[in-house]
Amino acid sequence: ALQAEWKRTPLARNDYQVMVRPGPERLMPRRRPGQWLVSGASGFNWRGLEIRRAGDADTEALLDLQCAYEQEEVLIANHQLNRAVTRRVLETSLREQCIYCASAGNLMVAKAGTNGCSWRYAQIGGVFTDPAWRRNGIGEHLMTAVMGDIFENGYGASLFVKLRNHPAISLYNKLGFDATDSLSIAYY
């Protein structure tokens, strides 16, 4: 409707499915972003991978993975990645949000975390597995860890996923997320 009123065609458009998973029945006191209470153990090993909560010291190790995520999922055609900006945003996220990572030795292979909170929900974003490591269950383990922290902090979980990303939608359905709405982002 807005596109017709403006009489302009967007340069790009992404269509998303909005998905939510309510938190536990008995909600704990909420903490503000940056004050996340970490659930369970600090990390664990699974199939030779270390899955753990990421921190400030992981900026350099996660930067290439974050850049790959932005190039695949965020940037639209004809837009260039600004590595310095990506680094600053990643540093802030590692400090203020709940980010988990999976590594094989010194190589970061996947990440997932929160990127915002409302009164009832923490939004999950930046879920990304290196293409060479996909379809091995890593994303499910990262999402389970992130959701554990979200629920322990008294929130439900929300996210939005591109409609064409069928593997991610299947994973989120498996993890108990329900589709609640759709949205489109148009770039002019």
Side-chain angles (χ1 to χ4, degrees):
L2 187 58
Q3 179 181 330
E5 189 172 314
W6 282 1
K7 296 179 176 49
R8 293 177 60 196
T9 302
L11 298 173
R13 175 185 159 145
N14 289 323
D15 297 314
Y16 296 92
Q17 182 73 61
V18 178
M19 303 184 84
V20 299
R21 180 168 172 196
E25 300 236 353
R26 185 182 67 79
L27 294 178
M28 300 176 70
R30 291 188 174 90
R31 287 164 178 79
R32 293 178 310 184
Q35 298 180 329
W36 286 99
L37 175 69
V38 180
S39 66
S42 60
F44 62 94
N45 288 309
W46 175 76
R47 293 188 178 178
L49 295 174
E50 180 186 15
I51 296 178
R52 63 176 173 78
R53 178 81 182 259
D56 291 340
D58 295 308
T59 301
E60 287 304 316
L62 282 169
L63 186 57
D64 287 340
L65 199 62
Q66 181 66 27
C67 289
Y69 161 74
E70 290 183 13
Q71 289 172 320
E72 184 173 313
E73 291 293 324
V74 178
L75 296 176
I76 62 172
N78 299 323
H79 282 77
Q80 299 296 315
L81 177 77
N82 184 323
R83 196 170 171 90
V85 170
T86 297
R87 177 191 308 278
R88 285 193 300 274
V89 171
L90 178 59
E91 288 170 342
T92 301
S93 293
L94 289 168
R95 201 171 38 254
E96 297 180 0
Q97 298 293 330
C98 169
I99 311 291
Y100 275 81
C101 59
S103 61
N106 292 329
L107 177 66
M108 290 290 185
V109 299
K111 63 180 232 14
T114 61
N115 59 13
C117 287
S118 69
W119 289 106
R120 294 177 47 210
Y121 290 93
Q123 181 175 301
I124 296 173
V127 179
F128 186 77
T129 301
D130 182 294
W133 292 81
R134 290 181 183 165
R135 304 221 186 333
N136 288 304
I138 301 168
E140 180 177 353
H141 280 77
L142 287 172
M143 286 290 295
T144 299
V146 171
M147 290 176 359
D149 279 6
I150 288 171
F151 297 157
E152 188 154 330
N153 282 276
Y155 292 94
S158 68
L159 56 84
F160 56 96
V161 57
K162 288 181 180 173
L163 289 176
R164 68 176 189 267
N165 192 344
H166 301 291
I169 292 170
S170 293
L171 170 62
Y172 302 144
N173 283 326
K174 180 179 178 181
L175 292 171
F177 283 82
D178 293 317
T180 58
D181 209 345
S182 60
L183 66 93
S184 295
I185 299 176
Y187 301 87
Y188 290 89

